[in-house]
Amino acid sequence: MLGLALPFLIWGVFVVPPMWLQSLHGCFSHYDLGIYVQALARLSFDDPNPWLSARQVKIFNDHFDPILWLARPLVSVLSPMWAALVAEALFVLLSMAPLLWLHVKGRLDRRATALLCAVLLLGPSALDAIMFPVHPTTWSMLPWVLLGVAWHLRKNGLLLVSLVLLFACKEEFPFAGIMLAVALWLRGDRRLAVGVLVLSVAWLGLVNVWRPYWMGPTIDYNERLRRGLAEGPVPFLLDRFSPRQLSRIGTLMLLFLPLSIWAWRERLKPDWRWMLVLLPMLGIRFLGMAWRHQYGAPLVTAAVMGLLPIFFARRRIPAWVLVTTGVLLVTTNESNIKQLRLTFASPSTYPQMCPGNPERLAGVQRGVDYLLTHREGRALLGGNLVTPLATRDELYTIGGPQPENTLVYDYVLVEKPPLGNIQPVPPERIAELISVWRAQEGTEVIIDDAHIFLAKGRFTTAH
């Protein structure tokens, strides 16, 4: 029982708290925590598609992820930031529930359950996702596990429900639904295959055709791909087959090596039809070079679900598989473990750009409190300060997507370099802007200490 509980203890004690602490200390730039915190703060039946001033788009005109509605009730009892963080932790944690249910029903033994939970909770893809909060792509781990269990147990109702939940996480997943329909057809479930195909195509039509017509212009994420192709096919492919990209793919796949060797020796096979659902995600990850942060979590989760027949065979997993997989969990997570350890051991000094020392935190809080009290007018912020101010209107970030020369801001609130996560703006630019703002006529400096610059006036970034 201790072995089964160990992945949950490690995850709950050494993974989640350090990242929550970094979130509390303002360590994350506007992407993605600030976006979804601002969305949860504004999402309501009166405003089901709220405008995000810092992102300069309505939330569902950016990514179409209505699963946010499942997290919205938490805002009634928690602040928007904590609602987002708790929701993400719950989605990841609850994705283990179907595996524990299989264990209770006798379909998975204790070793298999512990191994699967360890790979899903503590693998490099899951840690990368938790360490880059918050995004519904990470939340998709739960519907992926539900979908995989429904597939193997032939629970058609659960399969359709989990498929809708999956589609609600991000607009790329209906492509996996099309391949699931192919897999169902090959398995002989022809009627269900047609239903899944119709649902997937209808969702794609909703996202790509009806959504722009209904909600207005949407963010075109294919623009990045077109820019890459414009440079020519050779540079395009060289980028995607670069050592950095291949090493990341290898890191994600290495974790499966001990289990694969054992399964090959025992002549146990995964469900190759299920593995078809990986193809669209692999293609999208390859084209977008998106293997890090939250992007690997659904891919690895879906791959793990294809391995369930190996464990259903009731062959006892040898100790060497458990030990070597445990070693790989440590070695493939070396950089993540270092960051988590330093945050856990020295929160007052690490990370260097957002240390949790009392003076800095008190200064930031004074600035946040002032702008929450003075809610009128536009406020220009360092990107990491959107999250604590998410309930305020008219928030903008330095280096954000708003037109640089057209807006005049009534307030500026930034941390002084090198403090604060202000990506993509370099610290030198922030220092230059502070000097200009401080010296310009009509500026009322409110806070100008060692950590924070807060002022009222008429400000622009066109300097």
Side-chain angles (χ1 to χ4, degrees):
M1 290 302 297
L2 179 60
L4 183 55
L6 190 59
F8 296 92
L9 290 172
I10 294 174
W11 185 81
V13 174
F14 298 107
V15 176
V16 174
M19 300 322 299
W20 283 4
L21 198 60
Q22 285 197 18
S23 301
L24 191 62
H25 292 172
C27 291
F28 297 102
S29 64
H30 182 49
Y31 303 100
D32 283 320
L33 181 62
I35 293 174
Y36 287 103
V37 168
Q38 197 177 25
L40 286 176
R42 286 166 153 59
L43 195 64
S44 68
F45 291 116
D46 294 330
D47 191 6
N49 187 24
W51 172 259
L52 308 183
S53 58
R55 176 68 170 141
Q56 288 288 287
V57 70
K58 293 186 175 183
I59 181 61
F60 297 132
N61 292 57
D62 188 357
H63 285 304
F64 189 67
D65 33 29
I67 202 166
L68 287 172
W69 282 100
L70 294 183
R72 180 60 181 81
L74 290 173
V75 178
S76 61
V77 294
L78 299 169
S79 72
M81 184 192 79
W82 284 113
L85 292 172
V86 169
E88 181 151 288
L90 285 175
F91 273 108
V92 175
L93 191 61
L94 288 174
S95 64
M96 304 300 107
L99 301 178
L100 296 175
W101 179 81
L102 289 174
H103 172 60
V104 170
K105 291 297 181 180
R107 298 301 300 270
L108 294 175
D109 65 23
R110 193 172 298 166
R111 283 192 175 190
T113 308
L115 179 63
L116 289 173
C117 290
V119 169
L120 289 177
L121 283 177
L122 304 176
S125 61
L127 260 62
D128 271 8
I130 289 293
M131 294 173 68
F132 192 74
V134 164
H135 204 289
T137 301
T138 304
W139 304 4
S140 72
M141 289 178 65
L142 174 58
W144 268 120
V145 175
L146 287 172
L147 186 64
V149 171
W151 161 273
H152 292 296
L153 300 186
R154 296 177 182 262
K155 301 286 186 180
N156 295 347
L158 178 61
L159 185 142
L160 292 173
V161 170
S162 55
L163 201 62
V164 171
L165 286 175
L166 179 64
F167 292 174
C169 290
K170 199 178 179 186
E171 56 271 16
E172 70 180 46
F173 293 128
F175 292 106
I178 292 174
M179 295 310 298
L180 180 64
V182 174
L184 287 165
W185 186 275
L186 293 174
R187 195 171 73 172
D189 295 330
R190 305 293 171 84
R191 186 175 178 180
L192 182 59
V194 172
V196 168
L197 179 62
V198 170
L199 176 61
S200 303
V201 173
W203 197 282
L204 284 171
L206 168 68
V207 170
N208 297 299
V209 180
W210 176 246
R211 180 175 59 134
Y213 174 78
W214 175 35
M215 297 181 177
T218 59
I219 298 294
D220 183 11
Y221 283 97
N222 292 324
E223 181 185 355
R224 302 174 188 175
L225 182 61
R226 289 193 293 270
R227 285 202 306 265
L229 287 171
E231 297 175 0
V234 174
F236 181 83
L237 290 175
L238 286 176
D239 279 349
R240 280 142 186 84
F241 284 107
S242 66
R244 180 175 180 270
Q245 302 297 334
L246 294 179
S247 66
R248 181 58 183 170
I249 299 170
T251 298
L252 296 179
M253 301 307 297
L254 189 60
L255 205 56
F256 295 97
L257 184 59
L259 185 61
S260 300
I261 294 173
W262 170 72
W264 176 73
R265 287 179 176 177
E266 295 291 320
R267 298 187 178 181
L268 301 173
K269 298 179 180 180
D271 191 327
W272 66 268
R273 288 181 292 258
W274 167 264
M275 293 299 185
L276 292 174
V277 303
L278 299 178
L279 296 179
M281 282 192 290
L282 286 169
I284 292 169
R285 299 290 176 268
F286 172 77
L287 292 174
M289 296 185 291
W291 303 102
R292 298 178 183 275
H293 303 313
Q294 73 271 17
Y295 296 109
L299 179 65
V300 171
T301 304
V304 168
M305 290 301 99
L307 302 178
L308 284 182
I310 293 175
F311 304 102
F312 289 164
R314 296 181 178 275
R315 305 281 180 87
R316 185 173 176 81
I317 301 175
W320 71 266
V321 172
L322 301 177
V323 172
T324 51
T325 302
V327 170
L328 288 173
L329 283 172
V330 174
T331 55
T332 57
N333 272 311
E334 184 177 356
S335 61
N336 290 335
I337 291 172
K338 180 181 179 181
Q339 294 179 52
L340 292 169
R341 177 180 58 81
L342 290 173
T343 301
F344 200 77
S346 306
S348 62
T349 58
Y350 183 86
Q352 292 183 353
M353 65 181 175
C354 52
N357 65 73
E359 294 80 11
R360 171 184 173 264
L361 296 180
V364 170
Q365 192 60 51
R366 285 198 303 273
V368 168
D369 290 341
Y370 183 90
L371 289 180
L372 288 177
T373 303
H374 300 76
R375 306 181 74 92
E376 74 290 343
R378 299 188 182 109
L380 183 63
L381 312 170
N384 63 316
L385 300 176
V386 171
T387 298
L389 286 163
T391 59
R392 190 190 189 279
D393 295 329
E394 297 290 351
L395 299 178
Y396 303 86
T397 62
I398 299 175
Q402 70 272 12
E404 187 173 72
N405 299 319
T406 59
L407 293 181
V408 177
Y409 307 96
D410 302 285
Y411 299 95
V412 291
L413 173 62
V414 293
E415 293 194 65
K416 292 183 176 178
L419 297 176
N421 190 338
I422 38 80
Q423 295 180 12
V425 184
E428 295 79 12
R429 176 62 173 159
I430 299 295
E432 176 190 353
L433 286 172
I434 290 175
S435 297
V436 172
W437 292 333
R438 184 190 290 119
Q440 76 180 31
E441 184 178 355
T443 295
E444 177 187 346
V445 176
I446 300 164
I447 301 176
D448 192 3
D449 60 19
H451 304 99
I452 299 296
F453 180 79
L454 169 64
K456 181 180 179 180
R458 303 287 288 171
F459 306 105
T460 70
T461 56
H463 303 288

